[in-house]
Amino acid sequence: MKELTHYINGEHVKGTSGRFADVYNPATGEVQAKVPLASKAEMDAAVAAAAAAQPAWGAVNPQRRARVLMKFVDLLQRDMDKLAEALSSEHGKTFPDAKGDIQRGLEVAEYCIAAPQMLKGEYTDGAGPGIDIYSMRQPLGVTAGITPFNFPAMIPMWMFAPAIACGNAFILKPSERDPSVPLMLAELLEEAGLPKGIIQVVNGDKEAVDAILYDDVIQSVGFVGSTPIAEYIYGTGCAQGKRVQCFGGAKNHMIIMPDADMDQAADALVGAGYGAAGERCMAISVAVPVGEETADKLRDKLIPRIEKLKIAPYTAGDDVDYGPVVTAAAKENILRLVQSGVDQGADLVVDGRDFSLQGYEEGFFVGPHLFDNVTKDMDIYKTEIFGPVLSMVRAKSYEEALGLAMDHEYGNGTAIFTRDGDAARDFASRVNIGMVGVNVPIPVPLAYHTFGGWKKSAFGDLNQHGPDAFKFYTRTKTVTSRWPSGIKEGGEFHFKQMD
Ligand code: NAD
């Protein structure tokens, strides 16, 4: 059995706590590795190494720091297939999707190459007589991030690329379900020239997370994961005086107006609802057709598309639509929620409950499900299912559809499909959700914009990546300086009498 390690101060270090978690191959259901779960003492060792290394790194000029990321981007491209293979084998997502996971992280590293530009301060010349004011952006020191299983490459990179570019040291506590790629990323950073101790990976669970939250040296904590844990980390971290940003769960609605191109809308829904087995925080899990006729047309277009989906392990080829979910517990939870939908009166028009894949009976595969006539009071509507389950809620009007998206407790992403510019514009302007797609089902902003939800989908005041990341990972210092007149008034050839 493969035993994974931590990555502390430039070395792979065996776990010493005696506690481990199983890492599965979700396609077969087999345990393929054991990952160590760090104790507080192991986290303390990483923090000490980070604190020792950070001042020198913070003093390296930003252009040189950026060059490390330039090289890192090259290495990611060199190792893309190797990384994607490791990612798919632990997560279960398809090979092209694993590459997308890496690519979307790579793009943030690429954006962070602009560190010299982004870290330029502000300057007021002549704020008063002989007085200038200038501000600088300085690193926080030791920073940390806690990441979810569903994007084991992208989300760590969204955190550590800006943290490092800004001159910080960064301690990553990745998901214990797919920890191999984060370890590989740390190695690549050091191959790219990052000094030891600036990136470290400490594997673990709540014990490691609490060690981060209660550590006095760590200045900031980034978190991405489910909302209850986001709330815990935000509350605890802030109470310890840390800078914290937490991104949580989602229930993303897609509104389909009667004038939408129905084929386009159905294709978009199938990709956004079932891609990555629905394990995306920007997945569409609720379709809201406006009007009975729209709903009937959409349903007729969706069913054959869903029934054609190819569900298989990533090794079965690039035409696989989605793979297994991450664990047996995740599968069980999804099927329990599907059953609650049936019990609470929704129409299960595509039933994937009996899905089984020959040769992979022990794998964590879940067939696709489509519910129609879902209502607001049902658990399948209120809860984030995080599986291949799409719910249709029929709305009578545009206002009712907008109200559904607005009243839901989550506010990560949403989309509207229409040919009407006025409806799209009104929707984008009024909806209380962080990321909006117009005829785009998964509106994940690119690296140079920022990513973040509203309501229960995010806690903290800055978004991930883009210009916000450079704010999150730096402190502003503002200097007011006054130089009284001196040597420019003429040369001084004698020692002045000091009285
Ligand atoms: P999770 O909350 O179970 O785990 C996230 C991290 O928190 C992991 O590193 C885990 O080890 C740690 N953790 C788990 N339980 C903990 C506890 N009790 N105390 C302290 N730490 C704990 O989430 P997950 O299942 O890995 O990921 C799926 C969730 O992440 C979904 O809800 C999804 O919507 C969300 N997500 C959100 C975004 C976003 O940007 N908003 C992006 C990706 C995923």
Side-chain angles (χ1 to χ4, degrees):
M1 172 72 57
K2 187 163 142 199
E3 184 179 320
L4 298 173
T5 59
H6 305 297
Y7 194 76
I8 297 180
N9 207 17
E11 310 287 340
H12 283 279
V13 177
K14 277 190 152 204
T16 56
S17 71
R19 295 196 307 124
F20 291 89
D22 290 335
V23 179
Y24 291 90
N25 173 348
T28 61
E30 287 161 7
V31 177
Q32 57 168 316
K34 286 199 305 181
V35 60
L37 301 175
S39 63
K40 183 178 175 318
E42 287 169 298
M43 184 61 75
D44 289 348
V47 174
Q54 188 277 326
W57 176 245
V60 168
N61 77 55
Q63 208 161 0
R64 284 181 187 275
R65 294 200 301 255
R67 283 187 195 132
V68 171
L69 287 174
M70 279 185 214
K71 178 84 178 138
F72 176 63
V73 167
D74 282 349
L75 297 177
L76 287 173
Q77 277 154 344
R78 182 195 72 188
D79 287 0
M80 179 65 85
D81 283 1
K82 192 169 132 194
L83 290 161
E85 168 83 33
L87 199 159
S88 290
S89 81
E90 289 184 356
H91 177 284
K93 66 175 70 174
T94 66
F95 197 62
D97 210 25
K99 284 190 185 171
D101 188 330
I102 298 158
Q103 177 65 25
R104 277 301 183 101
L106 177 156
E107 287 167 11
V108 169
E110 225 167 25
Y111 170 74
C112 292
I113 293 168
Q117 166 69 15
M118 296 308 295
L119 295 172
K120 280 196 309 200
E122 294 171 331
Y123 195 95
T124 304
D125 174 37
I131 297 177
D132 306 320
I133 304 179
Y134 61 95
S135 65
M136 32 188 164
R137 295 208 153 270
Q138 296 194 325
L140 302 177
V142 180
T143 59
I146 299 152
T147 52
F149 82 85
N150 68 329
F151 283 98
M154 178 183 88
I155 293 176
M157 286 195 256
W158 284 11
M159 294 181 184
F160 68 58
I164 288 168
C166 291
N168 299 287
F170 187 85
I171 297 175
L172 173 64
K173 204 302 284 169
S175 170
E176 60 275 45
R177 295 180 204 148
D178 43 17
S180 288
V181 169
L183 289 163
M184 292 162 82
L185 295 176
E187 283 175 10
L188 289 184
L189 274 169
E190 288 193 3
E191 187 181 341
L194 192 71
K196 289 183 194 319
I198 299 302
I199 179 80
Q200 301 185 84
V201 180
V202 181
N203 285 303
D205 56 3
K206 184 173 181 349
E207 189 172 333
V209 169
D210 285 343
I212 289 173
L213 293 175
Y214 290 99
D215 184 274
D216 288 338
V217 174
I218 294 174
Q219 299 294 306
S220 74
V221 180
F223 170 85
V224 178
S226 59
T227 288
I229 313 295
E231 282 181 308
Y232 167 70
I233 288 175
Y234 191 69
T236 313
C238 289
Q240 300 307 309
K242 298 193 192 310
R243 185 178 291 198
V244 191
Q245 58 174 189
C246 294
F247 300 88
K251 195 80 181 174
N252 304 317
H253 292 51
M254 177 167 137
I255 315 298
I256 301 96
M257 297 295 286
D259 66 346
D261 177 326
M262 283 304 148
D263 285 304
Q264 201 185 67
D267 285 340
L269 267 174
V270 171
Y274 302 97
E279 290 176 322
R280 289 182 183 139
C281 69
M282 289 293 278
I284 294 290
S285 47
V286 183
V288 189
V290 173
E292 290 296 329
E293 210 185 309
T294 313
D296 292 342
K297 270 198 245 168
L298 185 67
R299 174 172 149 158
D300 290 348
K301 298 225 177 249
L302 279 173
I303 293 171
R305 283 171 166 83
I306 297 168
E307 286 172 346
K308 270 207 299 242
L309 288 172
K310 179 172 173 187
I311 302 141
Y314 74 95
T315 43
D318 284 359
D319 63 337
V320 175
D321 290 308
Y322 74 83
V325 298
V326 69
T327 55
K331 176 174 175 171
E332 218 170 273
N333 187 46
I334 294 162
L335 294 178
R336 181 184 57 77
L337 280 158
V338 167
Q339 189 56 46
S340 82
V342 173
D343 295 344
Q344 290 169 19
D347 297 333
L348 186 55
V349 291
V350 178
D351 184 351
R353 286 177 293 181
D354 291 334
F355 180 86
S356 171
L357 194 64
Q358 208 184 356
Y360 293 92
E361 288 80 0
E362 301 305 314
F364 312 136
F365 290 94
V366 181
H369 296 80
L370 176 67
F371 277 110
D372 194 2
N373 294 307
V374 173
T375 55
K376 277 172 84 166
D377 52 325
M378 294 177 184
D379 289 338
I380 51 168
Y381 180 74
K382 292 189 284 194
T383 317
E384 179 183 42
I385 303 174
F386 225 54
V389 183
L390 183 63
S391 294
M392 274 208 343
V393 182
R394 294 173 174 236
K396 290 191 180 58
S397 64
Y398 164 71
E399 284 299 329
E400 188 188 336
L402 173 67
L404 279 164
M406 292 190 64
D407 291 346
H408 205 285
E409 65 169 344
Y410 291 118
N412 215 36
T414 187
I416 184 166
F417 272 62
T418 181
R419 289 192 177 96
D420 182 52
D422 174 51
R425 190 169 175 276
D426 183 81
F427 183 73
S429 163
R430 285 168 65 196
V431 75
N432 56 358
I433 287 172
M435 292 169 281
V436 182
V438 174
N439 298 315
V440 171
I442 305 191
V444 176
L446 288 182
Y448 42 93
H449 286 268
T450 71
F451 179 109
W454 289 14
K455 300 187 279 183
K456 291 269 185 191
S457 294
F459 304 85
D461 56 354
L462 289 169
N463 278 353
Q464 302 192 81
H465 64 66
D468 274 13
F470 281 89
K471 293 197 179 116
F472 184 74
Y473 287 108
T474 54
R475 264 189 263 273
T476 307
K477 184 183 281 174
T478 310
V479 179
T480 304
S481 91
R482 178 165 170 268
W483 291 97
S485 62
I487 197 141
K488 82 174 193 313
E489 308 302 341
E492 299 258 348
F493 296 102
H494 309 291
F495 281 117
K496 258 193 171 173
Q497 186 106 27
M498 305 297 281
D499 19 56

